[in-house]
Every structure is written in structure tokens, then in C-alpha cells.
Amino acid sequence: MIKDESNMGKPLTPAQEKIRDAQISKNEQYIAKVESILQEIAPFYNDTNNYNSYLVELYEKLNNAHGMIVQGEYANLYTKHFGKPTSAVFNLYSDLSDEFFILDDKHKKEFLKGLPNLENYQEKSDYYYKKIKPLFDDVNSENSIIIRFEGMEQLYLELKQLSEQHWNYPQQLAVRQAYHNREFLQPIMFHGIPRTNPFHIEVYLEYSPKLNTGLLLKGKLEKLKPIIKSINAQLPFAELAEKVPQIQNIVRGTDNSTSIGENTSIGNDNAIGDNAFVRGK
């Protein structure tokens, strides 16, 4: 039987093996650094997860109690017991139902107690971003050599995509979630009164993108670690590719035949492209 060598790579020279082994060593250091940051970020992530759970619960509670009007001060009409309405907001004489009231500052402050100070929270989020993003850049850059090894170009593509995916939770996604399938009332008597976001939607739009960005940081780290491990698992057996993989030209920007389009979405927590969306878990 004739052995098919069409898809086989070339053995490495001693000098190339030395470079490969050095890369394995660097990747082991990157894995250790990822694990270290994961430990450091754990309390921040846990707090963020708790804040996010509270935010969702607050949104659902007030959304169910809302008077479904989004104009002027009436946008903050909620049932007094914060339960689902059992009557119309206004009676036949256009008087406000006794079941509703306009949310006051006292209630607003009480509801906000379960959420973090945004300035302090953003400061912590920025701190971790500045630690994590350069790590991704380094791992991505240092491992670019693997595209020269037979059969490893897909791993580099996964690494590159993870590095380039959104680092911030899209504001537009929060808007879609806050207003999903909601039909608001527009009484004739309120004609001309400007549209206003209800308190619960305003709070959701202000906090959700920031909190989900905080959750996203840890998610990226957790995805990075197995990719580096997979690279290191294959490097000891790597052989040089006979031909330069097409991905090498794509990475360099000299080949436009393959691209990540503006509507492309991937994974459960990440999206790429101007019109991409993040699919929910």
C-alpha cells in the first residue's frame, strides 16, 4: 500500500524544536496567570452575579406592577402593593385608580440599595479589564507561530476570535431585553407629553450593560484557558505545514476571501460584528 503523504507536514529542525518548546513553556506561564486572575476576580464576579440577579428580580417585579404608560411622570405609575394590576390605570372619569401611585424618591432609593455604586463598580471593572485584555493580546501574539504547524490553524482562529469578540456588553441588547414584547398605553389625554423611560427600565438600562460586562470578563478567561491547553497538547507533536495556511494570509490582512461578517454571532455569551447579538444561556 502506498502511503499518502499529501497531508503530512515536515519534521522540525532542532532550532525549530527549541522555539516550539519555548512556546510550550510560555503557554504554561500564561495558564498559571489565567488561573491567578481567575482566583483574584472571583469575589468581584460573585458580587456582580448577585447584583445582576437582584437587578433582574427588581426589573421583573416592577415590570409586572407597572401601569404601562411611558409618558411624563405617569411613566412611574406602579401598583401600591407592587403586584400585578387588577384594574385599569384610569377609571371612566379619567381619575387615577386607587390601586396605583407614582413612585416616589423614597421607594427609588430603597430599591437601589441592592445595587452597587456605579462609579466604584466601574473602577473595579476597568481594573480587571486592564489586567485581562493585555494578557489576551500577549497570548494571541505569542501563539501566532502555530499557524505554521500542520492542523493547528483552527486553534489559532479560535484564539483570535475570542480575543476580538466584544469586550463590552452591547447597550442595544439591554434595550431589546428591557422592552421585549411590551405594548404600552398611550392615552389621548397624554398627547404631546414626551415619552419617558419608567424607573425600572431606566435602572435596567443603566446597570445591565455594566454588570454583564463584568460577568463577561471572567467568561473570557474561562474560555481562554482550555484553548491554551489544547495548543500545548498538540505542540509536542507539531510538524511544519508544507504550504502556508490560508488563515495566515487572513490574519495578515492580505486575503479577504474569508471574513467575519457584520451579522455573525457565535457562542452563548459572545458576539462579533456590528449587527451581531449575544445569544442567551
Side-chain angles (χ1 to χ4, degrees):
M1 180 181 293
I2 299 176
K3 188 176 182 180
D4 181 10
E5 297 183 354
S6 59
N7 294 321
M8 295 182 64
K10 296 184 296 184
L12 304 183
T13 65
Q16 291 167 340
E17 288 180 348
K18 186 175 181 180
I19 294 174
R20 177 204 61 193
D21 293 343
Q23 186 58 46
I24 293 175
S25 179
K26 287 180 184 178
N27 283 344
E28 290 294 342
Q29 293 176 29
Y30 287 139
I31 291 171
K33 192 166 185 179
V34 169
E35 291 174 342
S36 175
I37 298 178
L38 280 172
Q39 288 184 344
E40 182 184 353
I41 202 176
F44 171 78
Y45 175 84
N46 291 336
D47 287 343
T48 298
N49 198 40
N50 290 335
Y51 291 141
N52 196 54
S53 296
Y54 174 80
L55 177 65
V56 172
E57 290 174 3
L58 177 64
Y59 169 84
E60 292 178 347
K61 173 182 178 179
L62 295 184
N63 199 48
N64 288 331
H66 189 239
M68 302 306 292
I69 296 174
V70 288
Q71 290 169 280
E73 65 177 349
Y74 297 102
N76 284 331
L77 279 173
Y78 297 90
T79 58
K80 294 178 180 178
H81 58 289
F82 297 110
K84 192 171 183 178
T86 58
S87 64
V89 177
F90 295 98
N91 59 31
L92 294 176
Y93 303 99
S94 299
D95 294 325
L96 182 65
S97 168
D98 290 337
E99 187 180 9
F100 291 87
F101 82 116
I102 296 176
L103 196 68
D104 54 32
D105 289 340
K106 179 181 177 181
H107 282 92
K108 291 178 182 179
K109 290 179 181 178
E110 188 66 28
F111 286 134
L112 291 176
K113 284 182 179 180
L115 294 169
N117 176 285
L118 275 182
E119 184 176 345
N120 294 339
Y121 180 84
Q122 190 62 53
E123 186 176 331
K124 289 182 181 179
S125 184
D126 290 343
Y127 165 78
Y128 286 112
Y129 170 80
K130 290 175 182 177
K131 291 194 72 169
I132 296 170
K133 183 60 168 64
L135 173 61
F136 270 76
D137 292 340
D138 289 344
V139 172
N140 187 50
S141 175
E142 289 289 347
N143 281 279
S144 62
I145 65 168
I146 71 172
I147 60 178
R148 292 293 290 115
F149 295 131
E150 189 72 41
M152 295 191 68
E153 60 269 18
Q154 183 58 38
L155 275 174
Y156 183 73
L157 181 58
E158 291 178 22
L159 179 61
K160 181 175 172 60
Q161 287 178 340
L162 183 61
S163 299
E164 295 178 349
Q165 288 163 11
H166 281 305
W167 284 84
N168 293 292
Y169 191 81
Q171 178 73 26
Q172 191 57 37
L173 178 58
V175 172
R176 289 202 299 268
Q177 290 175 331
Y179 281 101
H180 69 289
N181 298 325
R182 301 296 288 175
E183 295 183 5
F184 296 99
L185 303 175
Q186 293 185 318
I188 296 177
M189 61 183 175
F190 289 160
H191 180 70
I193 298 179
R195 184 185 176 98
T196 305
N197 277 333
F199 171 75
H200 69 286
I201 289 181
E202 184 177 317
V203 170
Y204 188 85
L205 295 181
E206 187 174 14
Y207 281 87
S208 180
K210 293 178 174 61
L211 295 178
N212 278 288
T213 293
L215 298 176
L216 182 64
L217 292 174
K218 182 172 181 282
K220 276 182 169 287
L221 279 174
E222 290 176 332
K223 292 178 180 179
L224 177 62
K225 182 178 173 181
I227 293 178
I228 302 176
K229 282 191 169 185
S230 295
I231 291 173
N232 266 14
Q234 293 191 35
L235 276 176
F237 311 101
E239 293 183 326
L240 286 178
E242 287 286 352
K243 297 180 181 180
V244 177
Q246 185 189 26
I247 186 177
Q248 189 171 26
N249 295 326
I250 296 170
V251 171
R252 290 173 176 169
T254 59
D255 188 319
N256 297 320
S257 62
T258 302
S259 63
I260 297 172
E262 64 175 8
N263 294 297
T264 303
S265 302
I266 62 175
N268 290 326
D269 300 301
N270 299 284
I272 36 181
D274 294 337
N275 300 323
F277 63 91
V278 180
R279 290 197 283 271
K281 294 183 177 179

